[in-house]
Amino acid sequence: MAITRASACAKAILLGEHAVVYGRPAIAVPIPARTAVVEVHDAAPGAGIGIVAHDLNRRYQRGACPVDSDGEFMLAAVEGVLQHVCPGRSCPDLEISVRSTIPIARGLGSGAAVSAAIARGIAAHLGISIPQDQLSELVFATECLLHGTPSGIDNTVVCCESAIWFRRGQAPELLPVGGPITLVIGDTGIPSRTSESVARVRRRGEREPEAVEALLDGIGDVVARGRAAIAVGDLQALGRAMDRDHALLQELGVSGTALDTLVAAAREAGALGAKLSGGGMGGCMIALATPQGAAHVEAALLGAGAHDTIVSQIEPSA
Ligand code: PMV
């Protein structure tokens, strides 16, 4: 039996989360150490489409109802790609298995990666290739189910698989990277509900529009400084940008004790900069380390209560 495998990797927002929802730029990077992997094979004629979510220990069947929110979102990913690759044709009979090493609801793009892997797997199994921008649109549609009104940064970086400069409503730019960047991610173990933190910022903006605009502008400036630092491989300047971004996100009200504790631990262990990454109020933080210092930062994060850590390297662009 022919099995088609496809995958998509995690992502982290290096700079600019939340402000990106309001039109400021942001920088996101792929995290290849964590992936969602999908296997697709033909099912018996008439079996329809089944999804086995191994990590959740659940099985979902297209057309069956009711499903939980994970099933709803995976089936939506299937529906989206089917409409794209075989509109008007009879639906194939497929069994799709999904496995992921990306923690759910931690700001690492688990939903976008699962959705991208499903779309890639089905399309490849049917012998059809989906251009990257169209794949990103399909993934965006499932992100809307998960997060309400996402900026589009998660689907973009997950589908590009490169460091990107992203501004809502504009074509993403591949980010010039002047030197290697070593990142250490610390997971608080606390779910980060992006739609809640985005709603929190929105409510604050309604109450205090001028203060929030000033913070969002401040984040936009920091992202621009970070881009310049990345282009020339100036890790000290990038670290300062990350520290400043974290301070602005704290003022915006989307950090939390667990995130602040890990950020402080990373800095004490010699990180050049550290900040929350993603929606915040839980989820992950990200630290910039030297290649030699990464293990020490990782140990400090675990010592300070991190649930999990990931070390990831961004290579210079050619
Ligand atoms: O999906 P997360 O948790 O990485 O958050 C995305 C970043 C936000 O800027 C908070 C929301 C968005 O849609 O860009």
Side-chain angles (χ1 to χ4, degrees), residues 103 106 186-190 262 283 301-302 304-309:
R106 300 295 204 281
D187 182 355
T188 61
I190 301 167
L262 295 185
L301 289 174
L302 290 169
H307 187 78
D308 189 16
T309 53

Side-chain angles (χ1 to χ4, degrees), residues 11 13 17-18 20-21 107 147 149-154 192 194 198 278-279:
K11 71 95 202 7
I13 297 182
E17 49 275 271
H18 286 289
V20 70
V21 175
H147 298 312
T149 52
S151 63
I153 192 168
D154 282 21
S192 164
T194 307
V198 169

